[in-house]
């Protein structure tokens, strides 16, 4: 009986793996079709400056609406898009959409607005001869390079590949800002903070979720802020869902926050209305 139970479990696992492989295969071909027939869209989540409660930044996040399966979340398809290489054209498309959006916002509402765009490690390769630097694309649109922030992950920096250093140098020289996404969850190595030019640390949601007075998470957030500020970096907290989390982060000296407490990711149009109706920033005091 034990033997057959073992065999059943084995069969269960192979069946499970088979289903997973089938799903990945389905996703791969569906992704190609999706890019061709424009099933993707981009939403934007406001990033709020805690000291002023104003928004001058947003993160671009890709969305996939499949004609029969409905919405498929990035958690399910980004990994697949990375393994089949499709993340390269998809990432470039998200970037170009974000660039157009920031152009509209800068033109109509806020001359210093910035949109941050996730850039997968797979997009840092020298195989792609069609690669156009983001800076060049932005110049074409008449936008200064600090209109865009590139969100990269710790894993990318640990690979220690020459192409990564080259591309990050390009960002630095042209003025595209860089944010380190999901900070604290990868194999954090402080060496790369000294090696590369980074502008923002984004504290991962796992540290925010259990923030409470006296918690280890709060101690970590406070320490990250102190370290970041000494290195001249700004800090963005991700996944802020409550007033208490917001207040604790503000007291800890955190510069920016993003999360459902402030706003959910929204269409470009909705972002426009959101920005148009946010209370105007206090004008600077007049000196007499
Ligand atoms: P991320 O870059 O860390 O993005 C933040 C994720 O947290 C987003 O999930 C966002 O919708 C979600 N989020 C924001 N506020 C809250 C909150 O208060 N509570 C909770 N529970 N979640 C919140 P999303 O859009 O599902 O994206 C998941 C991940 O997929 C992203 O994590 C990013 O790694 C990847 N991704 C999304 N769009 C792109 C893209 O265009 N290119 C690449 N390479 N990756 C992308
Ligand atoms: Mg991100
Ligand atoms: Mg910089
Ligand atoms: Mg993140």
């Amino acid at each position: 009986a034990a033997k057959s139970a073992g065999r059943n479990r084995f069969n269960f696992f192979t069946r499970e793996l088979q289903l997973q492989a089938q799903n990945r295969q389905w996703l791969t071909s569906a992704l190609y079709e999706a890019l061709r027939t424009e099933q993707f869209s981009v939403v934007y989540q406001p990033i709020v400056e805690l000291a002023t409660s104003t928004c001058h930044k947003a993160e671009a996040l890709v969305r996939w609406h499949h004609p029969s399966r409905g919405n498929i979340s990035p958690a399910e398809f980004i990994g697949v898009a990375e393994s089949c290489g499709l993340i390269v054209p998809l990432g470039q498309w998200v970037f170009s959409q974000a660039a157009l959006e920031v152009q509209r916002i800068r033109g109509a509402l806020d001359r210093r607005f910035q949109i941050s765009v996730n850039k997968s490690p797979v997009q840092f390769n020298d195989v792609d001869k069609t690669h156009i630097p983001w800076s060049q694309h932005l110049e074409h649109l008449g936008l200064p390079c600090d209109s865009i922030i590139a969100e990269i992950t710790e894993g990318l920096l640990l690979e220690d590949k020459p192409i990564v250093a080259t591309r990050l140098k390009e960002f630095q020289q042209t003025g595209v800002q860089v944010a380190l996404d999901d900070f604290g969850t990868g194999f954090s190595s402080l060496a790369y903070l000294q090696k590369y030019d980074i502008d923002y640390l984004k504290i991962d949601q796992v540290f925010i979720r259990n923030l409470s007075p006296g918690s280890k998470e709060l101690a970590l957030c406070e320490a990250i802020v102190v370290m970041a500020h000494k290195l001249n970096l700004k800090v963005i907290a991700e996944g802020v869902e409550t007033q208490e989390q917001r207040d604790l982060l503000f007291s800890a000296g955190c510069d920016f926050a993003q999360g459902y407490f402030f706003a959910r990711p929204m269409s470009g149009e909705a972002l426009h209305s959101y920005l148009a109706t946010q209370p105007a920033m206090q004008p600077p005091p007049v000196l007499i």
Side-chain angles (χ1 to χ4, degrees):
K3 231 179 192 169
S4 88
R7 187 155 51 236
N8 280 339
R9 193 151 56 221
F10 177 74
N11 284 340
F12 173 76
F13 282 126
T14 39
R15 183 83 196 116
E16 193 65 1
L17 286 175
Q18 246 171 19
L19 286 176
Q20 266 177 32
Q22 272 169 20
N23 190 42
R24 286 179 79 81
Q25 226 162 45
W26 182 86
L27 281 170
T28 306
S29 54
L31 277 168
Y32 279 96
E33 179 67 9
L35 197 62
R36 208 174 54 76
T37 60
E38 289 176 36
Q39 293 167 19
F40 294 108
S41 60
V42 182
V43 289
Y44 303 89
Q45 186 176 34
I47 297 171
V48 173
E49 184 177 54
L50 290 174
T52 60
S53 294
T54 58
C55 171
H56 306 281
K57 305 183 202 307
E59 177 175 11
L61 296 159
V62 71
R63 291 293 176 262
W64 180 13
H65 184 82
H66 187 269
S68 62
R69 265 191 57 179
N71 294 329
I72 304 175
S73 96
E76 196 176 340
F77 71 81
I78 291 292
V80 179
E82 286 177 334
S83 10
C84 69
L86 208 83
I87 194 69
V88 174
L90 178 58
Q92 193 64 23
W93 180 79
V94 172
F95 162 74
S96 63
Q97 295 300 108
L100 288 175
E101 200 55 61
V102 78
Q103 188 184 41
R104 284 191 276 269
I105 294 170
R106 285 202 171 206
L109 294 168
D110 182 352
R111 274 184 298 115
R112 60 182 176 108
F113 203 80
Q114 297 177 295
I115 293 182
S116 68
V117 179
N118 294 284
K119 188 159 182 175
S120 157
V122 180
Q123 291 174 268
F124 289 80
N125 64 68
D126 33 17
V127 186
D128 181 17
K129 295 293 172 235
T130 62
H131 168 82
I132 302 166
W134 283 6
S135 54
Q136 208 170 307
H137 190 99
L138 293 169
E139 277 160 29
H140 269 291
L141 292 175
L143 285 169
C145 285
D146 68 358
S147 309
I148 292 286
I149 301 170
E151 291 200 10
I152 59 169
T153 52
E154 296 175 308
L156 176 76
L157 303 182
L158 285 176
E159 286 177 38
D160 209 21
K161 291 196 299 192
I163 188 71
V164 173
T166 306
R167 290 282 151 79
L168 290 179
K169 190 116 226 141
E170 267 169 28
F171 279 151
Q172 184 190 355
Q173 282 166 348
T174 55
V176 173
Q177 290 194 315
V178 176
L180 207 45
D181 205 356
D182 307 333
F183 183 74
T185 59
F187 296 90
S188 307
S189 151
L190 299 181
Y192 56 57
L193 291 181
Q194 149 252 319
K195 184 166 170 192
Y196 300 109
D197 186 67
I198 312 275
D199 299 283
Y200 305 91
L201 294 186
K202 295 192 78 170
I203 304 181
D204 193 78
Q205 312 192 357
V206 296
F207 300 108
I208 310 302
R209 205 169 295 145
N210 299 311
L211 263 191
S212 60
S215 62
K216 283 188 183 172
E217 285 80 1
L218 182 58
L220 279 168
C221 287
E222 287 168 347
I224 290 172
V225 168
V226 169
M227 177 191 69
H229 286 173
K230 289 207 185 228
L231 293 168
N232 236 339
L233 312 176
K234 301 272 187 206
V235 179
I236 305 173
E238 295 193 272
V240 177
E241 295 185 351
T242 68
Q243 175 83 50
E244 186 184 42
Q245 290 165 349
R246 181 259 165 226
D247 293 344
L248 289 169
L249 286 161
F250 180 59
S251 307
C254 182
D255 305 284
F256 302 93
Q258 173 184 358
Y260 300 162
F261 174 68
F262 302 100
R264 298 214 165 225
M266 56 184 91
S267 69
E269 238 170 81
L271 179 66
H272 263 255
S273 325
Y274 173 89
L275 294 173
T277 56
Q278 79 169 343
M281 239 188 22
Q282 292 297 313
V286 181
L287 297 174
I288 32 175

